[in-house]
Amino acid sequence: MEFAVLLALLLVLGAVVAVIAQRRHDDGRGATSDLDAEADANRWVVRLGGGLAGIDVRAQAGADEDAARALADAAERLRTARARLASARTPDQYAAVVRTATEGLRHVGEARRALGLDPAAEGERNAARVEGRELSYGLDASYRS
């Protein structure tokens, strides 16, 4: 009987130590789920689509070669990001979607500057901030606005 009580006590103590170790490993940041990573990647893809949609068709028609190339590059990044988002399942895959979408946002900014429009500095600042950060979810998510 004493052996069973001692064994149960050791198992409970082991579980408590495991929980404490896991919490310390998280370092107070909390774990980010795959759903959070997916929602974040989706948000960047939507921002890219909105950036492209925000450029007036008349401005596109009068675009010089640099603006046309930047718009084509941004549209290609949007297609790529959408395709990657549809097949992504892991945080690393979602991080790749975010990188692709932020590349597209930079191209949108280049196109807007070439067209003489407001370069939407907020979107570019956020894209630059993401570019310089680790995009590994749960390790450094400080790029979020």
Side-chain angles (χ1 to χ4, degrees):
M1 181 71 174
E2 287 179 25
F3 179 73
V5 171
L6 181 62
L7 182 62
L9 189 63
L10 286 175
L11 287 175
V12 169
L13 182 63
V16 168
V17 169
V19 168
I20 290 172
Q22 180 64 36
R23 287 189 180 172
R24 285 189 180 180
H25 182 269
D26 286 345
D27 200 24
R29 287 184 293 245
T32 303
S33 72
D34 289 348
L35 290 177
D36 290 338
E38 180 181 9
D40 192 45
N42 188 53
R43 180 176 61 93
W44 283 99
V45 171
V46 168
R47 287 183 77 168
L48 174 55
L52 279 170
I55 298 177
D56 188 6
V57 174
R58 289 181 297 242
Q60 289 181 27
D64 65 357
E65 187 176 323
D66 291 338
R69 184 175 42 252
L71 286 170
D73 288 343
E76 177 61 30
R77 297 306 187 286
L78 178 61
R79 283 189 293 276
T80 302
R82 284 179 175 164
R84 286 181 175 177
L85 183 61
S87 63
R89 296 294 175 262
T90 68
D92 288 338
Q93 290 171 332
Y94 291 121
V97 171
V98 171
R99 282 191 297 273
T100 302
T102 56
E103 287 174 17
L105 284 170
R106 279 194 309 281
H107 289 296
V108 168
E110 291 171 14
R112 292 181 68 83
R113 273 191 297 280
L115 293 169
L117 301 172
D118 175 22
E122 177 194 346
E124 289 181 41
R125 273 195 309 268
N126 288 337
R129 195 170 38 182
V130 168
E131 181 181 273
R133 302 286 181 158
E134 177 71 27
L135 290 177
S136 165
Y137 293 96
L139 295 178
D140 181 11
S142 62
Y143 64 86
R144 292 188 178 135
S145 52

